[in-house]
Every structure is written in structure tokens, then in C-alpha cells.
Amino acid sequence: MGCEHCCSHQSSCITSVPVFKGLNEADLQLLQKVTRSNQFLKGEYIFRVGEQSEKLFVVNEGLIKLTIMSLEGKEQIVRLLFPGDFFGLFSILKNEKHYINAEAIGIPTVICSIDKKDFLQTMENNAGLAYRFLLAVNDRLYEADESVGFLSLMEVEQRLARALILFHEKMNAGNEAFTLPITKKDLASYIGTTPESVSRKLLEFMSQKWIVMDGRRKIQILELDQLKQMAELD
């Protein structure tokens, strides 16, 4: 596991997560005191399938991929987590083992964690926080349902367009170029295709002058509206 230390990021960890906004000062100070951080190298796991932890995790810096493995040993990326995203809630609320792998893929990756007892105590004392977490879980269920249709009903170019739009938004790129936060191999796993198909579709987007690329991962979106139309996000 990554190197643990008393969290020098505790304030940013708490304030970067939307559901923690609006906490009263006492609860905010409590969480800041009990928050810890770990720095992970690329490829290190925060947890694996079958492991159990009693912590809520928050991405402070970097990127996390949540994955499952097929019986044939093929990895499928279920979700990408960016700074401000939280995970591990299922395990601490259900007191069950993790059903998914959480792997660091950003450089650097800093994960903050809050012990179950401290987190639940804060939830019990703050009805507003409990309600916001309920809404967040509902959003996750909606995203999970949407992703089923995303993978099964959309064509590769539509799935790729959606992924590019997501990265563009998460990186706050605006009209500027940004670096794809994951490799083409991971991107292919994320949208349910092959790296060769990803490369081919990126070339098609370039030929239509929707994007430009500099090297393997530097990209600038020129026609965001066209991508949104392709992704059926209009």
C-alpha cells in the first residue's frame, strides 16, 4: 500500500468533495483531524476484490480506475475517479468485502481516507450530510444504469466521443489542449473496445477536424458541439 502520513491535504480533501460542502464547523474540524492520506505509485492498488477495509476514500490528486476481471482474465474498467470523487462507501455501509479493484493510474496519486467510525459518527450528527450521500449514491446508480446502455447500445465512435467530453470537462480544458489521463489501452477498456479501434476512431475525428492530436496523448477538441452531437449529449 502507498506511503501513509498524517494528511497535510485534509482541508482540501474535505472541501473538494461536493457532499461535504455545508458541514458545520464542528463536523468539518472533526473530519479534518481524522483524515489521513496515502500517496500511491502508478499501478499500486488501494484495495483489491475480496479485501475488506473500513475507510471512506477520497481522491485528492491523480486518477483511480475501478476494475473487474472476467473469467477469462480480461480487465474491464467500470469507472474512473477524478479529484473530489469518493469511493469505498459500499464496503463500510454493508460491512462486506470489496467487489471491485481500485488502482492508481495518475501521477502522482494522493488518496485521503476517513475511518468508518468517524465517518458514520459525522453522518449520524448531520442529517444534511446523510441526505447528500443518499443523493450521491442515487447518482451512482443512475450512472451505472446509463453505462449499461453506453456500452451495449452505442457505437464505438459514440462511446469514444463521450469519453473525450468527460476528460475535457474533468481537466477543465476549455479551448486548450489537454493530455488524455489514461493510456489508449485503458481508454479501450473503459469504452469496451480495442486499442486499435480507439486509434482508428481518433484518426477519423482528426480527419473531420473535430480534434487535433500532438503525439500519442496530447489532444485539443476543436468542435465540441460536433462531439456532443455524436455522443447524443445535445
Side-chain angles (χ1 to χ4, degrees):
M1 195 171 181
C3 179
E4 183 172 331
H5 49 87
C6 188
C7 188
S8 60
H9 307 280
Q10 68 263 40
S11 178
S12 60
C13 275
I14 301 304
T15 58
S16 69
V17 183
V19 290
F20 286 139
K21 291 182 178 177
L23 279 177
N24 61 56
E25 189 63 27
D27 287 337
L28 181 61
Q29 289 182 5
L30 170 64
L31 285 181
Q32 288 176 345
K33 287 179 181 178
V34 298
T35 300
R36 295 293 181 269
S37 73
N38 291 70
Q39 184 164 321
F40 292 83
L41 300 176
K42 185 176 181 180
E44 285 192 307
Y45 286 85
I46 292 81
F47 54 73
R48 295 176 185 262
V49 171
E51 295 179 349
Q52 191 158 12
S53 59
E54 296 195 342
K55 297 178 184 293
L56 178 75
F57 300 97
V58 177
V59 183
N60 184 259
E61 297 178 32
L63 187 65
I64 297 293
K65 65 176 180 181
L66 301 181
T67 64
I68 56 175
M69 299 292 288
S70 69
L71 293 176
E72 296 77 26
K74 182 179 179 181
E75 180 184 86
Q76 173 64 53
I77 296 178
V78 177
R79 185 178 174 87
L80 294 172
L81 301 175
F82 295 83
D85 286 334
F86 65 89
F87 60 109
L89 188 62
F90 174 85
S91 184
I92 63 173
L93 293 183
K94 296 279 289 183
N95 197 31
E96 294 184 4
K97 296 177 180 179
H98 292 292
Y99 63 91
I100 207 163
N101 302 303
E103 180 184 346
I105 56 175
I107 304 174
T109 295
V110 177
I111 303 298
C112 294
S113 62
I114 306 168
D115 284 340
K116 175 180 179 178
K117 59 180 178 59
D118 297 312
F119 171 68
L120 293 183
Q121 179 182 342
T122 307
M123 289 267 281
E124 290 171 0
N125 295 334
N126 194 306
L129 175 63
Y131 178 67
R132 287 193 294 276
F133 264 97
L134 181 63
L135 291 179
V137 171
N138 181 69
D139 289 342
R140 292 282 179 86
L141 291 173
Y142 173 79
E143 290 171 5
D145 288 343
E146 186 180 43
S147 97
V148 172
F150 171 73
L151 288 174
S152 62
L153 300 178
M154 288 188 165
E155 300 296 332
V156 172
E157 57 266 26
Q158 294 176 295
R159 303 198 297 267
L160 178 58
R162 285 203 171 204
L164 294 180
I165 292 167
L166 171 68
F167 299 149
H168 177 265
E169 292 174 351
K170 292 294 186 179
M171 308 291 281
N172 296 312
N175 294 323
E176 303 298 321
F178 63 97
T179 300
L180 289 176
I182 57 178
T183 65
K184 285 184 181 178
K185 180 181 177 181
D186 279 342
L187 178 54
S189 172
Y190 181 55
I191 66 174
T193 187
T194 64
E196 292 77 18
S197 291
V198 167
S199 296
R200 189 162 53 250
K201 294 302 178 182
L202 286 173
L203 286 173
E204 289 180 11
F205 288 176
M206 290 176 65
S207 70
Q208 296 178 78
K209 302 189 184 307
W210 293 355
I211 66 171
V212 291
M213 294 193 70
D214 181 9
R216 295 176 60 84
R217 292 171 62 176
K218 196 78 170 180
I219 185 170
Q220 181 179 5
I221 294 179
L222 301 178
E223 296 292 343
L224 184 59
D225 288 342
Q226 291 292 342
L227 282 182
K228 287 184 175 180
Q229 185 175 346
M230 166 67 71
E232 298 182 1
L233 292 174
D234 275 349

